[in-house]
Amino acid sequence: MINAGIYGAAGYTAGELIRILHFHPEVNALQLISESHAGQPVYTAHPDLEGTLEAHFVSSLTDDVDVVFLCSGHGKSKELIERGTIPEDVHVIDLSHDYRLQGAHDFIYGLPELNKLGIKEAKHVANPGCFATAIQLCLLPLAQTKALKHDVHISAITGSSGAGQRPTDTTHFSWRSNNASIYKAFTHQHLGEIHQSIAQLHPTFEQAIHFIPIRGAFTRGILAACYTTTSLSLEALTEQYEAYYFNHPFIHLSGSNPDVKRVVNTNKAYIHLEKHHNQVLITGVIDNLIKGASGQAIQNMNLMFGFDEETGLTLKASAF
């Protein structure tokens, strides 16, 4: 069994980690680090855990830990690593953007459906972004077979929890409810890791990826609709996707258009293929807080420590 620590333990993604790790059969103890909540019971930040987890937030990490999850936000992870705050022999899974791009320290990009073998040998793993996860799962089989020969167009909508716990002008209820809006059109920060992963499988890919992110009037989940031109038949495309995801237990090809409610509170992703004349439409859905963040981080932890990939991830994990 292993001991785990979480930096930034009061936020949304940390809350999901706590819920999963508390019931994980291979995890013995948790250290929950939060500067803003140090000394307070965990349920002050995560009320649904009152009566389930009798623990308090602490201000610093002790030496008795095997893996640390970094949930403190973009920029904070780099500070922790560069200051040497985390012992060198401790495994690190970073949920921020800091180490996702190649050449960033010695981190492996932690998309199991792309880098499973590397993750198994890694000491440091950079967990993918939520939009990036959904979109890459839609595109990777085409990249592997060099079938991405034209521009890719993507529209994807996300729930409000993807923006984090701290309220902002575009996340508080009175603005988000019964509303929708586009943001960071063609410039979203996850495009870098999407391009990087496609190039890993298809080095000569030079076409554009046009991405329109949308804020949705719901709490959690991502739906990504990706389309591109192809001469391949639907049958041939389906065979490619089935072959690619054969050994990836959380990815499911669906014969019907998937909706977000299918995946909320799970580590699953559903992928659906349609052919319209010379266009293939690939639709994917994930829970942004589970497969797009904390569930994928646990999946990476399982791979790093030699546990079964699905351990701790087969049940619902959250309260909302």
Side-chain angles (χ1 to χ4, degrees), residues 130-136 138-139 151-159 180-188 191 194 208-216 218 221-228 257-258 260 270 272 279-286:
C130 51
F131 265 139
T133 296
I135 292 166
Q136 288 173 103
C138 289
L139 300 178
D151 287 5
V152 178
H153 302 267
I154 304 161
S155 295
I157 187 168
T158 185
S181 64
I182 291 171
Y183 71 110
K184 297 182 180 178
F186 306 113
T187 63
H188 196 278
L191 278 168
I194 295 168
I209 299 177
H210 308 286
F211 176 30
I212 305 296
I214 303 168
R215 301 181 183 97
F218 51 95
I222 287 175
L223 184 148
C226 313
Y227 67 92
T228 188
N257 252 315
V260 168
Y270 283 101
H272 175 67
Q279 299 289 313
V280 59
L281 171 65
I282 313 108
T283 305
V285 291
I286 64 168

Side-chain angles (χ1 to χ4, degrees), residues 202-267:
H202 188 175
T204 60
F205 177 77
E206 296 180 349
Q207 285 68 36
I209 299 177
H210 308 286
F211 176 30
I212 305 296
I214 303 168
R215 301 181 183 97
F218 51 95
T219 303
R220 60 194 299 162
I222 287 175
L223 184 148
C226 313
Y227 67 92
T228 188
T229 301
T230 182
S231 60
L232 295 170
S233 67
L234 181 60
E235 292 74 17
L237 290 163
T238 300
E239 288 178 3
Q240 289 183 8
Y241 277 73
E242 288 175 343
Y244 189 94
Y245 288 122
F246 178 73
N247 288 318
H248 298 289
F250 294 108
I251 315 303
H252 306 277
L253 294 184
S254 177
S256 61
N257 252 315
D259 56 82
V260 168
K261 282 191 174 182
R262 280 200 211 178
V263 293
V264 167
N265 299 329
T266 79
N267 202 53

